[in-house]
Amino acid sequence: MTGLTPFEIMEKLVSFPTVSRAPNTDLIDWVEGYLAGHGIVSHRHWRDGGRTHCALFAHVGPEVAGGVVLSGHTDVVPVDGQPWTSDPYTVSERDGKYYGRGTCDMKGFDALAIWALVEAKRRGVARPLQIALSYDEEVGCTGAPAMIEAMQRVLPKAALAIIGEPSLMKCVNGHKGGVGIATHVVGFEVHSSIMHRGVSAVMEAAKLLDWANRANAEAMAAAPTALAAMFDPPWTNAHVGTIEGGTANNITAKDCRFVMGFRVVPGERKEDWVARYTARVRAVEAEMQAVHPEARIDLVPSFDVPALEPEDNGAAEALVRRLTGDNASHVVSYGTEAGQFQEAGYSAVICGPGSIEQAHQPDEFIAVAEFEAGQRFMQRLLEELAA
């Protein structure tokens, strides 16, 4: 089979509308078939034993430990309601940019990784190269942990992982952790004229949002640690992105639902923030039940993304610095799967083409120059692995 160019692979990947709510199996089928055509065996890990979402991973080179993983996710965010000027699932080139959903985040990197794996097979490498393509990254990095566990049962364990989130090909060695708590406030309905006899789930939920605002103000006012000071902002923040609830304007709300999320700076524990929030929830719940015993607040974990901690003499960081020439330190406040690889015992770093500012935007794009820089990075990586 003739090998495709990185651009041709990206075109194909972008053509699959793999938003997290939809299956990603068409894309995985294509990747698996393409790799098989070049003599590369792929492995799948299905989400919860189902048949709609799966990860794919593969290995090229000697069957020994100590290789390099190129890690990306296959899902993208929706385009619903966004004012695109071209078909989001067709790559369009104009003004030195490749437009399309996922070109930046992160099917551009996925295409480069697939190209590099095929090249490693064709050229031969002395040190193994692997790829890992996950699902459900965009809904809280929920697919990677099971994929990483499955990889270690099937493939020789690599020494390091390069997570190709858009970083302008800079070496990013740290990011915040994230944790979310799905919160369901259950009230007791009465007519709003006698609201003192009922419990409004919406108004009780407001107390928890007020707690988040006050926690943010306190964190902002505190002096950051040296590690936290590397981040923007240099503190942990609490955030609610969407909220829904209530029946009518003249009825105390029966239900209110939201996710309380925390972006936690390295050096602080996610568990401590969850405990603080839970304590406030239980205090509000006690006030609710003093009015009516059926009122309650249910908490369910929504997502849990570990921080990427800067490593002392990290192998992944050292490799990326050799390949890019970037000797500066970079950290980001968004979460990635890098912390999950690190938690599983891999040295991990973030390095990928494109700017995070373009991710999730209408008319998402990756600059042609960035995509080409990504291919040069892969070329140098192949040379390193062949040595």
Side-chain angles (χ1 to χ4, degrees):
M1 176 185 286
T2 303
L4 300 176
T5 67
F7 175 76
E8 290 169 334
I9 298 172
M10 179 174 66
E11 280 189 306
K12 191 65 180 180
L13 298 181
V14 169
S15 72
F16 297 105
T18 50
V19 295
S20 297
R21 64 178 179 240
N24 72 337
T25 46
D26 286 349
L27 182 150
I28 295 296
D29 288 345
W30 183 86
V31 175
E32 184 176 52
Y34 179 70
L35 294 180
H38 292 276
I40 300 172
V41 176
S42 301
H43 307 271
R44 297 190 185 203
H45 178 78
W46 293 91
R47 183 178 74 181
D48 300 326
R51 306 301 296 177
T52 61
H53 293 73
C54 64
L56 179 141
F57 46 89
H59 175 108
V60 162
E63 292 291 320
V64 297
V68 175
V69 180
L70 298 174
S71 168
H73 59 81
T74 61
D75 57 323
V76 295
V77 297
V79 299
D80 306 19
Q82 292 187 335
W84 284 74
T85 56
S86 58
D87 180 357
Y89 299 114
T90 300
V91 178
S92 303
E93 181 181 358
R94 53 186 189 272
D95 303 321
K97 302 168 184 176
Y98 294 134
Y99 290 87
R101 174 55 86 222
T103 51
C104 176
D105 185 19
M106 59 182 299
K107 291 179 177 179
F109 177 85
D110 293 346
L112 291 166
I114 293 166
W115 175 84
L117 195 73
V118 170
E119 282 293 294
K121 178 70 173 180
R122 184 181 69 83
R123 301 180 189 186
V125 285
R127 186 181 180 188
L129 181 64
Q130 300 176 354
I131 62 166
L133 303 178
S134 69
Y135 56 87
D136 283 354
E137 191 274 348
E138 296 291 6
V139 292
C141 297
T142 59
M147 175 192 72
I148 295 168
E149 181 181 351
M151 285 175 61
Q152 295 178 79
R153 295 195 300 267
V154 177
L155 304 181
K157 185 170 181 178
L160 60 93
I162 300 170
I163 289 75
E165 292 283 359
S167 71
L168 293 171
M169 298 308 301
K170 301 297 184 183
C171 179
V172 173
N173 63 359
H175 68 62
K176 292 185 177 183
V179 61
I181 308 297
T183 305
H184 179 196
V185 184
V186 181
F188 183 75
E189 290 178 314
V190 298
H191 194 277
S192 60
S193 64
I194 52 170
M195 61 177 292
H196 64 290
R197 299 180 189 174
V199 178
S200 169
V202 168
M203 297 185 73
E204 298 300 321
K207 297 177 181 178
L208 301 177
L209 272 62
D210 179 63
W211 173 89
N213 286 329
R214 288 185 284 107
N216 286 336
E218 292 170 7
M220 191 183 307
T225 64
L227 183 57
M230 299 171 62
F231 292 83
D232 180 20
W235 60 79
T236 296
N237 60 2
H239 178 255
V240 173
T242 62
I243 188 168
E244 60 180 3
T247 303
N249 288 333
N250 61 352
I251 303 173
T252 56
K254 174 68 173 178
D255 298 285
C256 186
R257 292 179 172 86
F258 58 89
V259 174
M260 181 66 72
F262 300 94
R263 298 281 184 175
V264 183
V265 292
E268 295 184 6
R269 287 166 25 99
K270 300 190 302 293
E271 297 85 352
D272 293 339
W273 280 92
V274 172
R276 286 180 58 187
Y277 176 60
T278 301
R280 180 55 183 151
V281 165
R282 296 308 166 215
V284 172
E285 184 182 58
E287 296 171 359
M288 295 164 57
Q289 291 177 343
V291 177
H292 199 282
E294 294 182 11
R296 68 181 195 276
I297 303 177
D298 298 330
L299 301 179
V300 177
S302 175
F303 62 87
D304 189 347
V305 182
L308 174 64
E309 301 273 358
E311 302 170 3
D312 292 331
N313 301 314
E317 182 177 341
L319 173 62
V320 167
R321 292 196 187 286
R322 287 198 303 275
L323 299 179
T324 63
D326 177 23
N327 292 315
S329 292
H330 307 278
V331 297
V332 293
S333 292
Y334 57 83
T336 77
E337 296 170 340
Q340 293 166 326
F341 273 93
Q342 187 180 67
E343 201 171 59
Y346 297 80
S347 177
V349 72
I350 300 165
C351 185
S355 169
I356 195 64
E357 294 181 1
Q358 305 307 323
H360 304 181
Q361 299 299 310
D363 284 348
E364 176 184 347
F365 69 82
I366 186 171
V368 174
E370 276 291 302
F371 192 66
E372 292 173 346
Q375 185 170 4
R376 290 192 296 273
F377 175 90
M378 295 299 177
Q379 291 276 21
R380 291 190 288 270
L381 174 62
L382 291 168
E383 292 167 5
E384 171 111 3
L385 297 178

